[in-house]
Amino acid sequence: MRLRTLALIAALALVALVAATITIWTLSSPPTATTPAPSETAPPPPASSTRSYDPDAGDVASGENDGAPAEVQEAAWGPVADRFARNFTNTTGGAPAWRQRLIGNPASPDVTTDISDQLKTIAVSNVPAGHYTGRQLVKSSAYEVAVKVTYREGWAMVLYLIADGTRFQVYAYDRWEA
């Protein structure tokens, strides 16, 4: 072989070796974090009046519906609103049982810490009788909803839910005045 051909083969082999090394290095390196665009960042954490019952809650941006309107996230907030509305009028077992039903699972509570504390001050004898019949979304954003819940007896209340970090929780409720 001629010297020129040998030099060309050596150069091609060197380029192939460098390309293989870069490819292997790139595939074995951990991915670098990217900074999201300003429009994709999560909102600031809720005010202290709506702090989570679970202070170690993570980031709400953990699902495919992240940042989506609340109507799209109904699977996340709907069951919480339904449980709270249904259990609100169920005072069987006295105040401790009533509070526990409203709070839900302590590992994944349906209410914020403030609501949990407030429930301790309510006399269950003052809770109106009612049979939950349904809900209607009144106001929503990506991280908050207001839901009107109605009762067969003709009265209603509004539940205010907020995403605390990993789930929606009731942070306020009030009797609906039409």
Side-chain angles (χ1 to χ4, degrees):
M1 283 191 168
R2 295 182 14 203
L3 186 58
R4 188 175 207 186
T5 305
L6 287 175
L8 183 60
I9 291 173
L12 288 173
L14 182 61
V15 168
L17 179 64
V18 168
T21 303
I22 290 172
T23 302
I24 290 171
W25 182 319
T26 303
L27 293 175
S28 65
S29 298
T32 58
T34 59
T35 305
S39 64
E40 297 175 358
T41 58
S48 62
S49 66
T50 59
R51 70 188 190 276
S52 171
Y53 190 77
D54 178 7
D56 298 323
D59 182 14
V60 77
S62 62
E64 62 185 50
N65 291 330
D66 172 40
E71 296 89 342
V72 176
Q73 300 182 52
E74 187 171 358
W77 61 261
V80 175
D82 290 339
R83 276 191 304 271
F84 190 90
R86 194 169 285 114
N87 289 322
F88 187 79
T89 57
N90 180 2
T91 59
T92 58
W98 176 74
R99 281 192 291 274
Q100 185 56 50
R101 280 189 295 273
L102 290 172
I103 292 169
N105 179 354
S108 180
D110 289 341
V111 300
T112 62
T113 302
D114 289 344
I115 293 297
S116 176
D117 292 342
Q118 181 190 22
L119 293 173
K120 294 174 187 172
T121 66
I122 296 174
V124 293
S125 59
N126 293 333
V127 174
H131 296 85
Y132 174 59
T133 58
R135 62 178 149 83
Q136 174 187 0
L137 187 62
V138 177
K139 180 183 171 194
S140 70
S141 69
Y143 300 96
E144 279 186 82
V145 295
V147 181
K148 176 184 175 185
V149 295
T150 55
Y151 293 88
R152 183 173 56 204
E153 290 72 14
W155 63 279
M157 67 179 181
V158 178
L159 304 179
Y160 301 92
L161 293 92
I162 191 166
D164 79 326
T166 58
R167 65 196 160 277
F168 278 89
Q169 293 179 302
V170 175
Y171 75 90
Y173 60 93
D174 199 6
R175 186 134 186 170
W176 177 267
E177 300 295 334

